[in-house]
Amino acid sequence: MPKLKKSALTLFFILISLFSYAQQAPKLIVRGDDMGSSRSANLASIDTYVNGIETSIELMVVTPWFPEAAKMLEENTGIDVGLHLVITSEWDGIKWRPLTHCPSLTDDNGYFFPMMGPNENYPGLAVIENQWKLNEIEQEFRAQIELALRNVPQVSHLSGHMGSTSFHPDVAQMVLKLSAEYDLPVMNREVMQPLGIIGVSYDGAKGTFSEKEASFIRMLDNLEAGKSYMFVDHPSYDNVEMQGVGHYGYENVAEDRQGVTDLWTSQKVKEAISNKGVELVNFITLSKALPRSDPEEENFNSQAIVEYLNAVNKNEQDLHSLMILRNGKVVFEEWFGENAANKTHTMYSVSKTFTATAIGFAVQEDLLKVTDKVISFFPDKLPNEISDHLQALEIRHLLTMTVGHDVDPTGVLRETEGLDWVEGFLAFPLEHPPGTSYVYNSLATYMLSAILTKVSGERILDFLQPRLFRPLGIVGATWDESPQGIQIGGWGLNVKTEDMAKIGQFYLQKGKWNGVQLLSESWINEASSAKVPSLPAGVKKEDLKVKANDSDWLQGYGYQLWRSRHNSYRADGRNGQFILVLPEKNAVIVTTADIPNMQAELNLIWDHLLPAFK
C-alpha cells in the first residue's frame, strides 16, 4: 500500500495550510561548536550528527586537530559545516596561533590572547584590552576561510568563536564584506534577526546530563509554531584528553561537554522533538530558502492540488514529496509517510543532470570540451586494441547517451567483481559509430564523473560546491562511489526536495541565480534541447508499442535531460523522482516517490497540475 494515506479531510487541511504558514512546525538549528579543537571534539561532533540531533558543525582551522577534522568531514559530506572564525585561544593547557602575522592579536609567545573581553583571571589578556587592528583581523579571517574551503569544500557559512565576528561594529561590517565575497552567510545578529532566527538555551539547570536533558526538553516546550530557533553547545567526551582542558572559572570541561554529547544522542530528547513536531534544520535551509507564496498570488489554482492528491490516492501511487514553484516561489510543498523536508532522498538517475551540470561548468572554465576524445583521458586504461568507434567517442556522446553500444553495459560491468569500471566501459564493444544510436547508458554518466575528476582533481560533489551548491544553498548532499573511489555520476546522489527545486529553478532561469550568471545560458539551452531521438531505458526502437504523443520518453534527449510533452524538460530518476521544468508556465514541479509506472505518475501531473497554471 502507498505511504500517501490522506483522507479527503486531511487533503482539505493540506489546502487550508496553503494559506496558513503560521501553522508550520517550529524549526530548530542545533549547532555544535569547536570541531578541530581536540580529537574528542572531532569524534563527538560526528557522533552527535550521525546518531543524534546536531544539524550544524562549526569547525576551527587554526587548531591542532583540524587536519583530522577535515578528513572526517571529507568522509561525511552530508554534514553541514560552518567555519568558526577564531582570534582567541581560551584554554590554559593547549594553545593555538594565527595563520598570518597579526601581532595585535597575540601574546608574547605568539599565541592568540585567551579571552575576547576583560577577565579578572587573565588581566590584560583580552583582545579588546589590546590595540587590535582591523586589517590584521581581516587578513587572518581571510586566511582561515581559504584554508577551510581548500580542505572542506562543503563549508556553507561562517560563525564566530567567543564573539569574534561581532565584538565591534567595524569587525561585524568587515565580516559581512567577507561573507558576501566568499558567498558564506554569517551566523550573527545582523543576519539572523531579519531571518527571524531566535537564540535559545537551556530552560533551567544544566550542570549534569540529567539537568541538561530536563532543561532542554522544557526549552522545546516553549518553541512556537512558525518560528525558527538556534541552540548552541559544545559536544565532546569525558576522557584523558579533555580532562586536561580548561581555564579559570571553567574547570569541569570534560564532564560538561560529555553531557552535551549524551544530551544530543538521548533517545528521550529525540522522542520529545518528534512528539512536539519540531523540525530540525540547518542554517542554510533558512538563510537560502526559496521564497514562499500563496498559490493564488502566483495564479495557480490550489484546488488542483487536492484533485491531484486524490488521484494519486485513487491510483495507489506511493508519492513521497511534492513541491510546486511558480514565478520562482514555492506555492505548495508536502511530504508523506516517513519523508520530511529535512531528509535527503535517493535521486537515482536525477543524479545524471547534476553530473551534466558539472560538465557544463568544466566546459565554461576550459577544463575540457564536449568534442574531446574520451580515450585521451585514460591512456593507462585502454584495451589492447582500440576500435575506430572507440577512437571516435567524444564527451558529447556520453552526454547524449549515443555511445554506440547495442545494449546498456551498466548491469554487466557493475556485477563483474574486481573490475575497474572505466576499463570495463572502454573495453565493452561499440557496435555502432558514436552519435548514431541512442541507448540509455548509466555508465556513460559515470565516465563523465571520472573525466571531471581527472581534469579537476576533485570529486564531482566537491567540484560543484563553490560553483553551484554554495550559491544555491544546497547542503547535506551525499554521492555514492565506485569501487575505484569515483563518485558514480549516473546514480547515487542524495539531496532534499527543495534542493531539487532549486536546480529546476536554476535551469528555468537559464543558469542565473540572484542576478549572477553562474552557468552560461548557451549551455543551459544546449543541455535542455533535444539533441537526439530518445527511447525508454532498455527498449529498442523495433520493440516500441507506444506512440510518441503518449510517451514522455519519446520526446528527445539532451545533455542528461529528457524532453517531455507540453514543451517541458526534466531530470528523471527511477521510480518517480522528477525535476520537471515548464518554461511556458514559468514553473517547476518536483516529486520524490516510489512509483514504478512513471508514465502514469506524469500523466496525473499533466491531467491535474498543468491546467492549474493560469
Side-chain angles (χ1 to χ4, degrees), residues 56-78:
S56 177
I57 292 177
E58 306 305 299
L59 172 68
M60 306 163 78
V61 302
V62 298
T63 45
W65 287 94
F66 165 66
E68 182 194 58
K71 184 168 181 58
M72 287 180 170
L73 294 169
E74 180 183 3
E75 296 167 355
N76 292 272
T77 58

Side-chain angles (χ1 to χ4, degrees), residues 365-379:
E365 296 170 26
D366 294 325
L367 295 175
L368 50 78
K369 300 186 293 294
V370 296
T371 54
D372 285 343
K373 304 296 186 185
V374 172
I375 62 173
S376 69
F377 298 99
F378 307 105

Side-chain angles (χ1 to χ4, degrees), residues 477-495:
T478 62
W479 212 321
D480 296 342
E481 297 182 352
S482 72
Q484 290 74 48
I486 296 171
Q487 290 179 338
I488 291 173
W491 68 93
L493 177 66
N494 291 269
V495 297

Side-chain angles (χ1 to χ4, degrees), residues 466-607:
R467 295 164 175 85
L468 183 68
F469 285 9
R470 194 173 301 135
L472 271 61
I474 296 175
V475 299
T478 62
W479 212 321
D480 296 342
E481 297 182 352
S482 72
Q484 290 74 48
I486 296 171
Q487 290 179 338
I488 291 173
W491 68 93
L493 177 66
N494 291 269
V495 297
K496 298 184 288 296
T497 303
E498 186 162 344
D499 300 332
M500 299 168 70
K502 288 176 178 178
I503 294 298
Q505 188 64 31
F506 174 73
Y507 268 82
L508 183 62
Q509 295 171 179
K510 303 288 189 178
K512 185 178 287 189
W513 199 260
N514 288 335
V516 178
Q517 193 73 46
L518 301 179
L519 184 57
S520 71
E521 182 174 343
S522 62
W523 178 267
I524 300 294
N525 290 336
E526 282 287 299
S528 60
S529 63
K531 313 298 288 183
V532 297
S534 57
L535 292 168
V539 175
K540 293 190 175 183
K541 188 174 182 179
E542 57 268 25
D543 298 328
L544 269 179
K545 298 179 181 179
V546 63
K547 296 179 181 179
N549 289 342
D550 298 325
S551 173
D552 285 288
W553 279 263
L554 295 174
Q555 307 303 312
Y557 197 74
Y559 288 166
Q560 309 285 287
L561 282 165
W562 294 86
R563 292 295 305 182
S564 307
R565 291 176 294 171
H566 308 290
N567 197 27
S568 65
Y569 61 92
R570 70 187 189 279
D572 177 312
R574 179 181 177 182
N575 290 346
Q577 325 315 313
F578 288 127
I579 304 173
L580 189 58
V581 182
L582 305 163
E584 292 181 351
K585 305 296 184 182
N586 196 25
V588 175
I589 299 174
V590 169
T591 65
T592 60
D594 185 11
I595 303 174
N597 189 341
M598 295 165 64
Q599 185 61 71
E601 180 182 358
L602 283 175
N603 288 344
L604 291 187
I605 290 173
W606 298 139
D607 291 345

Side-chain angles (χ1 to χ4, degrees), residues 86-302:
V86 176
I87 52 172
T88 52
S89 182
E90 60 189 308
W91 309 125
D92 291 342
I94 184 170
K95 293 289 183 185
W96 38 83
R97 303 172 185 270
L99 300 177
T100 62
H101 181 65
C102 46
S104 72
L105 304 175
T106 58
D107 63 18
D108 292 340
N109 292 317
Y111 296 118
F112 280 127
F113 292 120
M115 298 293 159
M116 186 64 69
N119 186 305
E120 62 181 10
N121 296 309
Y122 300 90
L125 293 178
V127 171
I128 66 174
E129 291 178 315
N130 290 269
Q131 297 299 310
W132 55 270
K133 295 181 179 179
L134 184 64
N135 67 309
E136 291 186 5
I137 296 177
E138 179 175 350
Q139 75 176 15
E140 178 61 23
F141 281 176
R142 190 179 294 277
Q144 291 183 25
I145 291 170
E146 293 180 357
L147 178 62
L149 293 177
R150 192 160 58 244
N151 289 274
V152 187
Q154 76 257 41
V155 167
S156 72
H157 61 272
L158 306 174
S159 61
H161 176 64
M162 299 178 75
S164 66
T165 61
S166 56
F167 70 93
H168 188 277
D170 291 346
V171 173
Q173 191 62 37
M174 177 270 292
V175 171
L176 288 176
K177 181 187 74 172
L178 294 179
S179 169
E181 178 180 341
Y182 290 96
D183 199 10
L184 295 168
V186 58
M187 283 182 172
N188 65 14
R189 186 176 293 104
E190 290 80 4
V191 174
M192 291 172 61
Q193 279 186 345
L195 292 171
I197 301 174
I198 305 164
V200 290
S201 188
Y202 296 98
D203 185 6
K206 56 178 182 177
T208 66
F209 159 65
S210 295
E211 290 175 341
K212 282 182 170 67
E213 186 178 57
S215 296
F216 188 89
I217 291 173
R218 279 196 297 271
M219 177 272 295
L220 294 175
D221 288 332
N222 297 324
L223 304 186
E224 299 179 29
K227 293 187 177 180
S228 302
Y229 302 87
M230 183 168 72
F231 182 94
V232 180
D233 215 327
H234 306 74
S236 194
Y237 295 122
D238 187 352
N239 56 20
V240 172
E241 179 190 28
M242 288 305 295
Q243 288 163 10
V245 171
H247 60 67
Y248 290 117
Y250 186 20
E251 290 84 7
N252 66 327
V253 178
E255 178 186 2
D256 181 55
R257 298 193 172 188
Q258 176 71 63
V260 178
T261 302
D262 294 340
L263 169 71
W264 286 359
T265 56
S266 161
Q267 188 59 36
K268 188 175 180 180
V269 166
K270 294 178 189 177
E271 290 173 357
I273 287 172
S274 177
N275 293 337
K276 297 175 192 304
V278 175
E279 181 184 347
L280 296 176
V281 299
N282 52 53
F283 177 62
I284 295 303
T285 297
L286 300 179
S287 64
K288 291 194 173 183
L290 290 166
R292 266 62 179 174
S293 182
D294 291 334
E296 304 301 340
E297 287 289 326
E298 309 306 326
N299 290 318
F300 181 83
N301 180 8
S302 54

Side-chain angles (χ1 to χ4, degrees), residues 432-451:
H432 310 283
T436 63
S437 178
Y438 173 90
V439 171
Y440 194 78
N441 193 329
S442 290
L443 270 191
T445 319
Y446 172 76
M447 293 296 291
L448 293 172
S449 178
I451 289 170

